[in-house]
Amino acid sequence: MTCVLVVDDEPIVRDVVVRYLEQAGFDTHEAEDGIAARALLEQKMPDAIVLDLMMPGMDGLDLCRWIRARSDVPVIMVTALGEEADRIVGLELGADDYVTKPFSPRELATRVKAVVRRSTPGAPKAERIEVGDLQIDGGARAVAKGGQPLRLTATEFDLLWFLASHPRRVFSRQQLMESVWGYQATFDTGTVTVHIRRLREKIETNPSKPRYLETVWGVGYRFMPAP
């Protein structure tokens, strides 16, 4: 059974989230703060983590940084309305998605399903995309630049694969949320923008002058196979 770790210092929030996740078919573990969560994670990584940002002791940002140094397990952050700056930092650190308090537990369960589905190997993609010094292997879900393997999260790989599979086509942030994240965002969350920036830092020789991932101002992004 797919296991989700719920990390939140509010017992009521943990209880509600756990109940909805278990109703959705997930096995769950709980931690009341970052230190307790790290102790659990040192024993075994779950299939996904729901992580509150604001906690005493080790907060969600520090824990997310610790997790990303060791694992690509999907992380969904839980933030308060006024924590936009911390939310962006969390995405920069490698979180896959976030929900804002107050949130719908049903929506959270849907997003957990989406990140788990993306991180679970499905039918191998027979295609292999090679352009310039970049190699993208759909079957192995692996990316290399100049023959050197790159470490991408499941979401980063899926975003790159989707764009590279539709070269030169421009996609809006909303279209990318629907196609890669698997749901419609009611407003521009910044999630796509941060993931594009993280991908550029990994695959581009000069991220400030991207060779592959171009911004089409006022519209969205596209993958360019040739200079």
Side-chain angles (χ1 to χ4, degrees):
M1 184 179 292
T2 303
C3 178
V4 181
L5 174 63
V6 179
V7 188
D8 198 301
D9 61 325
E10 298 182 46
I12 294 177
V13 173
R14 289 202 312 271
D15 180 65
V16 171
V17 171
V18 163
R19 281 194 289 112
Y20 270 84
L21 290 176
E22 290 181 345
Q23 289 174 9
F26 294 107
D27 184 23
T28 60
H29 294 292
E30 302 177 44
E32 68 274 12
D33 57 34
I35 295 174
R38 189 172 69 178
L40 292 173
L41 294 171
E42 286 175 338
Q43 298 176 35
K44 184 179 180 180
M45 282 288 172
D47 298 291
I49 300 172
V50 175
L51 176 60
D52 185 35
L53 276 191
M54 300 301 293
M55 296 183 294
M58 174 182 263
D59 65 17
L61 293 177
D62 286 338
L63 182 59
C64 187
R65 185 180 293 107
W66 183 89
I67 291 168
R68 276 296 169 259
R70 293 158 177 80
S71 173
D72 295 326
V73 59
V75 175
I76 297 179
M77 298 181 303
V78 179
T79 72
L81 281 173
E83 297 170 2
E84 182 175 357
D86 287 339
R87 187 182 311 143
I88 297 300
V89 172
L91 290 171
E92 292 279 11
L93 289 175
D96 296 83
D97 201 357
Y98 73 87
V99 294
T100 303
K101 293 180 180 178
F103 59 85
S104 162
R106 184 174 290 106
E107 179 187 358
L108 175 58
T110 298
R111 296 198 185 191
V112 171
K113 287 181 179 179
V115 297
V116 169
R117 182 174 63 249
R118 289 199 303 272
S119 64
T120 302
K125 297 179 176 69
E127 299 172 71
R128 179 181 173 91
I129 299 173
E130 295 191 27
V131 52
D133 60 352
L134 200 62
Q135 304 88 42
I136 312 172
D137 189 328
R141 292 181 62 86
V143 180
K145 179 179 173 63
Q148 297 299 313
L150 304 178
R151 183 175 176 180
L152 271 62
T153 67
T155 303
E156 289 169 348
F157 178 86
D158 286 340
L159 177 58
L160 178 60
W161 180 266
F162 179 79
L163 287 168
S165 298
H166 302 84
R168 297 186 177 85
R169 181 175 171 184
V170 181
F171 292 92
S172 68
R173 293 176 180 83
Q174 181 65 49
Q175 288 173 319
L176 291 172
M177 289 296 295
E178 294 175 6
S179 299
V180 178
W181 276 260
Y183 64 85
Q184 295 183 348
T186 55
F187 58 94
D188 187 355
T189 65
T191 302
V192 172
T193 303
V194 174
H195 275 77
I196 289 288
R197 185 158 61 242
R198 278 169 35 196
L199 268 178
R200 283 174 174 162
E201 290 172 354
K202 295 181 179 182
I203 71 170
E204 301 284 3
T205 301
N206 184 354
S208 63
K209 296 181 179 180
R211 149 83 169 79
Y212 300 111
L213 294 178
E214 289 190 350
T215 298
V216 180
W217 297 106
V219 184
Y221 302 99
R222 66 184 171 194
F223 182 90
M224 292 301 291

